[in-house]
């Protein structure tokens, strides 16, 4: 049934059809948002593991690049808002940046195809530079796309409703954010499953290309769906960007204050008052209110420093844990699904149970107090992560430090062998593996004085003692590369459980000393499988999610209530900026601090947040809540009174001028008579 959803500002708007009171156009927007969020969170869920296991980066570099990407995703919304409001409008901005977004996702999928550069077909890319460049270009385009459309899509959806559809607009935003959480939840479940599959043309490897390819396909679907509804949208023309006006006003105030820095000029109550020569007092008062809230944002980035490590440090932590839950085996990157599940659970519980109960107890649980408690919750989450890491460290093998080398001796003979090492008494190597750490890179290791072997610092080496003592001995850094060498002459020895699957097939092919080779292999666990269960991460996810509900949701509500009517987007941009800064802080700690113990790094982050929490609580204590609408009304009243006085003054001057002119005429007339 046709209806007019046009207001006075929408006279050119065509008559559109509605379904259950909602414009049909918003259904295209909702589907677009679901697919886009699936694409973003699905790609992001497996990103840090892609860095570590495909590009072969270490934990610190993987974490740094991950958080650089997240920071860019929260910096580009400012650019997207300026472009949409000042030049292109929301519709064109969404279209153009979605194309950039889709290209970036496709680039990520291509970068994860190992067969492209695997010329020797051993399962490892030979030209890693190609994959790194493709992935970095893809991530930059994704950050530009997802960040650029972030402030546009929700606002564009709100534009589709008329002023008489306020109830439908509120429902739309609820469904809109439900799609965000739904897309996030499904993608963090599905893409890790896709990553865990094996795929490839010449060799089978973990299928990161499929894990990135499905989000790329969903982004293309999102773009197609959004374009399909083009003829049904109301497309508002760009009206100018308030953030630019605010920036210009602040810049003029600073410049004007610097010009009048001499003591001969009287001081003003607020430094923004130096903009009165050029800008309206109401605008200056609104900027003062915004700056007052932005000042409270100073300690907030540290919360995001901890919160966004769910997808980096905590995911890497889960790779060293046991994900077997009985009938279900959880992938390390699937643990992130605990967060959206808890959000959907905790938000209604907090709003309908916890907060009303606190209010009934007579406690004034203000928004700033909620945010303070949320910060404490996040700190507790990282203390829990530190405790879990201590348990994990007990089960991990000892790796050489930067000043050490590690030697692993494999006796391939069926009899024990005596070994002489420099500065060590002779010892017997049984038919098994033994470890030795050497802190001197240049010190050769002597075995019966038959051969000297030099070790490299911070590396693990394996020395194979052959069954015939005169045979050439082999030093390798990875035992899996030795399995096809014909140097092994007596395979009927005890082996580590870690290597049995690699060596058994070769042993059975070349075995000459045993009729039943499989039965003669004794299994010894060199490196035990992950034994700390992933369920131990649930408490830290619970505390970080509770902190998010109390901090993030309340912070957005507080910012909205304390912002002037025309500057809510400015505070939203400031809020997103705290997220970006928080991710940059992770870079500083991961790259500059270089803390070798992960549990100590978790404690450092938690302690830093506690310190910022104390600072924020002091700042919140001195903050005075305001009603921006009331203040704006007062300024508008004062402005109207001034205009009225000015108008009356002009009238009086005009009347006075009329009398004077009459007297002057009479005076001239008298002079003429004279």
């Amino acid at each position: 049934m046709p209806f007019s959803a046009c207001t006075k500002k929408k006279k050119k708007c065509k008559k559109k059809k509605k379904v259950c009171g909602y414009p049909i156009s918003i259904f295209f927007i909702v589907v677009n948002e679901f697919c886009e969020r699936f694409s973003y969170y699905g790609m992001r869920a497996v990103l840090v593991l892609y860095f570590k296991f495909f590009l072969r980066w270490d934990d610190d570099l993987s974490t740094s690049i991950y958080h650089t990407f997240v920071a860019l995703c929260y910096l580009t919304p400012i650019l997207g808002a300026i472009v949409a409001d000042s030049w292109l409008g929301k519709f064109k901005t969404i279209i153009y940046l979605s194309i950039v977004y889709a290209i970036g996702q496709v680039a990520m999928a291509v970068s994860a195809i190992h067969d492209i550069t695997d010329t020797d077909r051993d399962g490892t890319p030979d030209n890693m530079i190609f994959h790194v460049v493709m992935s970095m270009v893809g991530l930059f385009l994704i950050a530009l796309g997802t960040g650029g459309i972030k402030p546009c899509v929700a606002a564009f959806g709100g534009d589709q409703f008329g002023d008489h559809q306020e109830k439908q607009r509120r429902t739309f935003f609820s469904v809109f954010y439900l799609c965000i959480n739904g897309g996030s939840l499904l993608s963090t479940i599905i893409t890790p499953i896709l990553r865990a599959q094996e795929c490839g043309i010449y060799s089978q490897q973990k299928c990161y290309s499929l894990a990135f390819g499905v989000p790329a396909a969903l982004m293309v679907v999102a773009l197609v769906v959004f374009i399909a509804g083009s003829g049904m949208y109301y497309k508002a023309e760009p009206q100018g960007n308030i953030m630019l006006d605010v920036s210009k006003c602040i810049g003029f105030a600073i410049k004007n204050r610097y010009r009048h820095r001499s003591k001969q000029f009287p001081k003003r109550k607020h430094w923004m008052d130096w903009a009165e020569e050029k800008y309206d007092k109401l605008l200056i008062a609104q900027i003062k209110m915004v700056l007052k809230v932005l000042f409270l944002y100073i300690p907030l980035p540290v919360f995001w420093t901890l919160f966004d490590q769910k997808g980096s440090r905590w995911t890497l932590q889960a790779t060293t844990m046991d994900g077997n839950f009985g009938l279900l085996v959880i992938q390390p990157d699937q643990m992130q699904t605990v967060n959206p599940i808890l959000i959907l659970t905790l938000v209604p519980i907090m709003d309908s149970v916890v907060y009303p109960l606190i209010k009934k107890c007579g406690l004034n649980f203000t928004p700033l107090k909620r945010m303070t408690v949320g910060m404490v919750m996040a700190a507790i989450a990282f203390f829990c992560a530190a405790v879990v890491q201590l348990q994990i460290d007990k089960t991990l093998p000892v790796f050489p430090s930067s000043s050490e080398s590690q030697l692993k001796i494999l006796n391939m003979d069926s009899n024990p062998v005596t070994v002489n090492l420099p500065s060590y008494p002779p010892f017997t190597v049984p038919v098994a593996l033994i470890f030795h750490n050497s802190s001197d890179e240049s010190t050769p290791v002597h075995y019966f004085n038959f051969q000297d072997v030099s070790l490299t610092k911070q590396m693990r080496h394996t020395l194979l003692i052959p069954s015939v003592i005169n045979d050439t001995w082999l030093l390798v850094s990875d035992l899996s590369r030795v399995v096809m060498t014909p140097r092994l002459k007596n395979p009927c020895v005890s082996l580590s459980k870690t290597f049995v699957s690699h060596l058994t097939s070769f042993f059975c092919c070349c075995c000459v000393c045993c009729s039943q080779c499989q039965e003669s292999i004794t299994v010894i666990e060199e490196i035990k499988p992950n034994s700390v269960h992933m369920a131990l991460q649930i408490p830290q996810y619970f505390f970080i999610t509770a902190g998010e509900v109390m901090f993030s949701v309340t912070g957005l509500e507080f910012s909205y209530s304390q912002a002037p009517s025309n500057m809510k987007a400015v505070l939203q941009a400031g809020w997103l900026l705290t997220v970006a800064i928080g991710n940059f802080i992770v870079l500083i700690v991961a790259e500059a601090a270089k803390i070798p113990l992960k549990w100590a790094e978790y404690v450092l982050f938690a302690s830093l947040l506690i310190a910022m929490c104390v600072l924020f609580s002091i700042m919140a204590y001195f903050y005075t809540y305001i009603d921006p609408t009331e203040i704006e009304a007062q300024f508008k009243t004062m402005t109207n009174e001034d205009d009225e006085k000015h108008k009356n003054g002009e009238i009086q001057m005009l009347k006075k001028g009329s009398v004077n002119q009459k007297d002057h005429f009479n005076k001239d007339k008298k002079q003429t008579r004279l």
Side-chain angles (χ1 to χ4, degrees), residues 391-428:
Q391 299 301 315
I392 294 173
D393 290 344
K394 295 177 182 179
T395 65
L396 295 179
V398 178
F399 292 94
S401 65
S402 58
S403 61
E404 293 180 326
S405 297
Q406 194 172 87
L407 181 64
K408 180 168 48 182
I409 303 174
L410 176 57
N411 181 9
M412 305 303 294
D413 194 17
S414 57
N415 300 311
V417 176
T418 302
V419 176
N420 295 320
L421 293 176
S423 304
Y424 286 88
F427 60 92
T428 300

Short mmCIF file of all heavy atoms in Angstrom, two decimals, residues 391-428:
data_model
loop_
_atom_site.label_atom_id
_atom_site.label_comp_id
_atom_site.label_asym_id
_atom_site.label_seq_id
_atom_site.Cartn_x
_atom_site.Cartn_y
_atom_site.Cartn_z
N GLN A 391 49.61 -21.99 34.11
CA GLN A 391 49.32 -23.41 34.01
C GLN A 391 49.80 -23.97 32.67
O GLN A 391 50.31 -25.09 32.59
CB GLN A 391 47.81 -23.65 34.17
CG GLN A 391 47.25 -23.20 35.51
CD GLN A 391 47.93 -23.93 36.67
OE1 GLN A 391 48.12 -25.15 36.64
NE2 GLN A 391 48.28 -23.18 37.71
N ILE A 392 49.66 -23.19 31.60
CA ILE A 392 50.10 -23.64 30.28
C ILE A 392 51.62 -23.78 30.25
O ILE A 392 52.16 -24.74 29.69
CB ILE A 392 49.62 -22.66 29.20
CG1 ILE A 392 48.09 -22.68 29.10
CG2 ILE A 392 50.24 -22.98 27.85
CD1 ILE A 392 47.52 -21.63 28.17
N ASP A 393 52.33 -22.82 30.85
CA ASP A 393 53.79 -22.84 30.81
C ASP A 393 54.37 -24.09 31.45
O ASP A 393 55.46 -24.54 31.08
CB ASP A 393 54.34 -21.59 31.51
CG ASP A 393 54.07 -20.31 30.71
OD1 ASP A 393 53.73 -20.43 29.51
OD2 ASP A 393 54.18 -19.22 31.29
N LYS A 394 53.64 -24.65 32.40
CA LYS A 394 54.14 -25.87 33.06
C LYS A 394 54.15 -27.06 32.10
O LYS A 394 54.89 -28.02 32.32
CB LYS A 394 53.27 -26.20 34.27
CG LYS A 394 53.34 -25.16 35.39
CD LYS A 394 52.40 -25.54 36.53
CE LYS A 394 52.43 -24.49 37.64
NZ LYS A 394 51.49 -24.82 38.74
N THR A 395 53.33 -27.01 31.06
CA THR A 395 53.21 -28.15 30.13
C THR A 395 54.00 -27.96 28.85
O THR A 395 54.09 -28.89 28.05
CB THR A 395 51.73 -28.38 29.76
OG1 THR A 395 51.24 -27.24 29.03
CG2 THR A 395 50.88 -28.55 31.01
N LEU A 396 54.54 -26.76 28.62
CA LEU A 396 55.25 -26.49 27.37
C LEU A 396 56.70 -26.92 27.47
O LEU A 396 57.30 -26.88 28.55
CB LEU A 396 55.18 -24.99 27.04
CG LEU A 396 53.79 -24.41 26.73
CD1 LEU A 396 53.90 -22.93 26.45
CD2 LEU A 396 53.16 -25.14 25.55
N PRO A 397 57.32 -27.33 26.34
CA PRO A 397 58.74 -27.66 26.36
C PRO A 397 59.59 -26.42 26.57
O PRO A 397 59.14 -25.29 26.34
CB PRO A 397 58.98 -28.26 24.96
CG PRO A 397 57.91 -27.65 24.12
CD PRO A 397 56.71 -27.49 25.02
N VAL A 398 60.83 -26.63 27.00
CA VAL A 398 61.74 -25.52 27.23
C VAL A 398 62.42 -25.17 25.91
O VAL A 398 63.07 -26.01 25.29
CB VAL A 398 62.80 -25.88 28.29
CG1 VAL A 398 63.76 -24.73 28.49
CG2 VAL A 398 62.11 -26.25 29.60
N PHE A 399 62.27 -23.93 25.47
CA PHE A 399 62.89 -23.47 24.24
C PHE A 399 64.11 -22.61 24.58
O PHE A 399 64.16 -21.96 25.62
CB PHE A 399 61.90 -22.66 23.40
CG PHE A 399 60.77 -23.49 22.85
CD1 PHE A 399 59.57 -23.60 23.53
CD2 PHE A 399 60.92 -24.18 21.67
CE1 PHE A 399 58.53 -24.37 23.04
CE2 PHE A 399 59.89 -24.96 21.16
CZ PHE A 399 58.70 -25.06 21.84
N PRO A 400 65.11 -22.58 23.69
CA PRO A 400 66.33 -21.82 23.99
C PRO A 400 66.07 -20.32 23.99
O PRO A 400 65.26 -19.82 23.20
CB PRO A 400 67.27 -22.21 22.85
CG PRO A 400 66.38 -22.64 21.74
CD PRO A 400 65.20 -23.28 22.40
N SER A 401 66.75 -19.63 24.89
CA SER A 401 66.65 -18.18 24.94
C SER A 401 67.57 -17.58 23.88
O SER A 401 68.21 -18.29 23.10
CB SER A 401 67.04 -17.67 26.32
OG SER A 401 68.40 -17.94 26.59
N SER A 402 67.67 -16.26 23.86
CA SER A 402 68.49 -15.59 22.85
C SER A 402 69.97 -15.88 23.02
O SER A 402 70.76 -15.70 22.09
CB SER A 402 68.25 -14.08 22.90
OG SER A 402 68.55 -13.57 24.19
N SER A 403 70.40 -16.33 24.19
CA SER A 403 71.81 -16.60 24.45
C SER A 403 72.12 -18.10 24.47
O SER A 403 73.22 -18.50 24.83
CB SER A 403 72.23 -15.98 25.79
OG SER A 403 71.48 -16.54 26.85
N GLU A 404 71.14 -18.92 24.12
CA GLU A 404 71.31 -20.37 24.19
C GLU A 404 71.04 -21.03 22.84
O GLU A 404 70.38 -20.46 21.97
CB GLU A 404 70.37 -20.97 25.25
CG GLU A 404 70.68 -20.56 26.67
CD GLU A 404 69.70 -21.19 27.64
OE1 GLU A 404 68.52 -21.35 27.27
OE2 GLU A 404 70.11 -21.53 28.76
N SER A 405 71.59 -22.24 22.72
CA SER A 405 71.26 -23.13 21.62
C SER A 405 70.78 -24.44 22.23
O SER A 405 71.21 -24.82 23.32
CB SER A 405 72.46 -23.38 20.72
OG SER A 405 72.88 -22.17 20.12
N GLN A 406 69.92 -25.13 21.50
CA GLN A 406 69.37 -26.38 22.04
C GLN A 406 69.72 -27.53 21.11
O GLN A 406 69.54 -27.43 19.89
CB GLN A 406 67.86 -26.25 22.20
CG GLN A 406 67.26 -27.35 23.07
CD GLN A 406 65.79 -27.08 23.35
OE1 GLN A 406 64.94 -27.46 22.57
NE2 GLN A 406 65.50 -26.41 24.45
N LEU A 407 70.26 -28.60 21.70
CA LEU A 407 70.67 -29.77 20.93
C LEU A 407 69.86 -30.98 21.36
O LEU A 407 69.73 -31.27 22.55
CB LEU A 407 72.16 -30.05 21.14
CG LEU A 407 72.73 -31.24 20.36
CD1 LEU A 407 72.63 -30.98 18.87
CD2 LEU A 407 74.17 -31.49 20.77
N LYS A 408 69.34 -31.66 20.37
CA LYS A 408 68.54 -32.86 20.61
C LYS A 408 69.29 -34.03 19.93
O LYS A 408 69.54 -33.99 18.72
CB LYS A 408 67.15 -32.68 20.02
CG LYS A 408 66.23 -33.86 20.20
CD LYS A 408 64.79 -33.46 19.85
CE LYS A 408 64.71 -32.73 18.54
NZ LYS A 408 63.31 -32.31 18.24
N ILE A 409 69.67 -35.03 20.71
CA ILE A 409 70.47 -36.14 20.19
C ILE A 409 69.58 -37.36 20.00
O ILE A 409 68.88 -37.79 20.93
CB ILE A 409 71.63 -36.48 21.14
CG1 ILE A 409 72.50 -35.24 21.37
CG2 ILE A 409 72.46 -37.63 20.60
CD1 ILE A 409 73.57 -35.46 22.40
N LEU A 410 69.59 -37.91 18.79
CA LEU A 410 68.80 -39.09 18.47
C LEU A 410 69.76 -40.24 18.16
O LEU A 410 70.48 -40.22 17.16
CB LEU A 410 67.90 -38.82 17.27
CG LEU A 410 67.07 -40.01 16.75
CD1 LEU A 410 66.20 -40.57 17.86
CD2 LEU A 410 66.22 -39.58 15.57
N ASN A 411 69.78 -41.21 19.03
CA ASN A 411 70.64 -42.38 18.85
C ASN A 411 69.91 -43.39 17.97
O ASN A 411 68.96 -44.03 18.40
CB ASN A 411 70.98 -42.98 20.22
CG ASN A 411 71.89 -44.19 20.11
OD1 ASN A 411 72.40 -44.50 19.04
ND2 ASN A 411 72.09 -44.88 21.22
N MET A 412 70.39 -43.55 16.73
CA MET A 412 69.74 -44.45 15.79
C MET A 412 70.25 -45.89 15.89
O MET A 412 69.78 -46.76 15.16
CB MET A 412 69.96 -43.94 14.35
CG MET A 412 69.52 -42.51 14.13
SD MET A 412 67.78 -42.24 14.54
CE MET A 412 66.99 -43.25 13.31
N ASP A 413 71.23 -46.11 16.77
CA ASP A 413 71.74 -47.46 16.95
C ASP A 413 70.85 -48.22 17.92
O ASP A 413 70.07 -47.62 18.68
CB ASP A 413 73.18 -47.40 17.46
CG ASP A 413 73.88 -48.75 17.35
OD1 ASP A 413 73.37 -49.60 16.59
OD2 ASP A 413 74.90 -48.93 18.01
N SER A 414 70.96 -49.52 17.90
CA SER A 414 70.16 -50.34 18.82
C SER A 414 70.82 -50.49 20.18
O SER A 414 70.26 -51.13 21.07
CB SER A 414 69.92 -51.72 18.20
OG SER A 414 71.17 -52.34 17.91
N ASN A 415 72.01 -49.87 20.36
CA ASN A 415 72.74 -49.92 21.62
C ASN A 415 73.00 -48.51 22.13
O ASN A 415 73.10 -47.56 21.34
CB ASN A 415 74.08 -50.65 21.44
CG ASN A 415 73.90 -52.08 20.97
OD1 ASN A 415 73.10 -52.82 21.54
ND2 ASN A 415 74.63 -52.45 19.92
N PRO A 416 73.14 -48.35 23.44
CA PRO A 416 73.47 -47.03 23.99
C PRO A 416 74.83 -46.55 23.49
O PRO A 416 75.70 -47.34 23.15
CB PRO A 416 73.47 -47.27 25.51
CG PRO A 416 72.67 -48.51 25.70
CD PRO A 416 72.91 -49.36 24.49
N VAL A 417 74.99 -45.23 23.45
CA VAL A 417 76.23 -44.61 22.97
C VAL A 417 76.71 -43.62 24.01
O VAL A 417 75.92 -42.86 24.57
CB VAL A 417 76.00 -43.90 21.62
CG1 VAL A 417 77.26 -43.16 21.17
CG2 VAL A 417 75.56 -44.90 20.56
N THR A 418 78.03 -43.62 24.29
CA THR A 418 78.62 -42.67 25.22
C THR A 418 79.05 -41.42 24.46
O THR A 418 79.67 -41.49 23.40
CB THR A 418 79.83 -43.27 25.93
OG1 THR A 418 79.41 -44.46 26.61
CG2 THR A 418 80.42 -42.30 26.93
N VAL A 419 78.72 -40.25 25.02
CA VAL A 419 78.98 -38.98 24.35
C VAL A 419 79.83 -38.10 25.25
O VAL A 419 79.61 -38.03 26.47
CB VAL A 419 77.65 -38.26 24.02
CG1 VAL A 419 77.91 -36.90 23.41
CG2 VAL A 419 76.83 -39.12 23.07
N ASN A 420 80.80 -37.41 24.65
CA ASN A 420 81.63 -36.44 25.36
C ASN A 420 81.28 -35.03 24.86
O ASN A 420 81.38 -34.75 23.68
CB ASN A 420 83.12 -36.70 25.10
CG ASN A 420 83.56 -38.02 25.68
OD1 ASN A 420 83.14 -38.39 26.77
ND2 ASN A 420 84.40 -38.75 24.95
N LEU A 421 80.90 -34.16 25.78
CA LEU A 421 80.60 -32.77 25.45
C LEU A 421 81.58 -31.86 26.19
O LEU A 421 81.96 -32.16 27.33
CB LEU A 421 79.17 -32.40 25.86
CG LEU A 421 78.04 -33.09 25.08
CD1 LEU A 421 76.70 -32.71 25.67
CD2 LEU A 421 78.10 -32.71 23.61
N PRO A 422 81.99 -30.74 25.59
CA PRO A 422 82.90 -29.82 26.27
C PRO A 422 82.31 -29.32 27.58
O PRO A 422 81.13 -28.96 27.64
CB PRO A 422 83.07 -28.68 25.26
CG PRO A 422 82.70 -29.27 23.95
CD PRO A 422 81.66 -30.30 24.23
N SER A 423 83.13 -29.31 28.61
CA SER A 423 82.75 -28.81 29.94
C SER A 423 81.71 -29.69 30.62
O SER A 423 81.12 -29.28 31.64
CB SER A 423 82.21 -27.37 29.84
OG SER A 423 83.17 -26.52 29.23
N TYR A 424 81.46 -30.86 30.08
CA TYR A 424 80.52 -31.79 30.69
C TYR A 424 81.19 -33.15 30.83
O TYR A 424 81.97 -33.55 29.96
CB TYR A 424 79.25 -31.94 29.84
CG TYR A 424 78.31 -30.77 29.91
CD1 TYR A 424 78.46 -29.69 29.04
CD2 TYR A 424 77.29 -30.74 30.85
CE1 TYR A 424 77.60 -28.61 29.10
CE2 TYR A 424 76.41 -29.66 30.91
CZ TYR A 424 76.58 -28.60 30.04
OH TYR A 424 75.72 -27.53 30.10
N PRO A 425 80.89 -33.88 31.88
CA PRO A 425 81.43 -35.24 31.99
C PRO A 425 80.77 -36.14 30.96
O PRO A 425 79.65 -35.87 30.50
CB PRO A 425 81.04 -35.65 33.42
CG PRO A 425 79.87 -34.80 33.76
CD PRO A 425 80.07 -33.49 33.05
N PRO A 426 81.42 -37.21 30.56
CA PRO A 426 80.82 -38.13 29.59
C PRO A 426 79.50 -38.69 30.11
O PRO A 426 79.33 -38.92 31.31
CB PRO A 426 81.87 -39.23 29.45
CG PRO A 426 83.14 -38.60 29.89
CD PRO A 426 82.78 -37.62 30.96
N PHE A 427 78.56 -38.90 29.20
CA PHE A 427 77.28 -39.48 29.59
C PHE A 427 76.81 -40.39 28.48
O PHE A 427 77.26 -40.32 27.33
CB PHE A 427 76.24 -38.40 29.89
CG PHE A 427 75.93 -37.50 28.72
CD1 PHE A 427 74.90 -37.80 27.86
CD2 PHE A 427 76.68 -36.35 28.50
CE1 PHE A 427 74.62 -36.98 26.79
CE2 PHE A 427 76.40 -35.53 27.44
CZ PHE A 427 75.37 -35.84 26.57
N THR A 428 75.88 -41.26 28.85
CA THR A 428 75.39 -42.27 27.92
C THR A 428 74.05 -41.84 27.33
O THR A 428 73.14 -41.43 28.06
CB THR A 428 75.21 -43.62 28.63
OG1 THR A 428 76.48 -44.03 29.15
CG2 THR A 428 74.69 -44.68 27.67
#
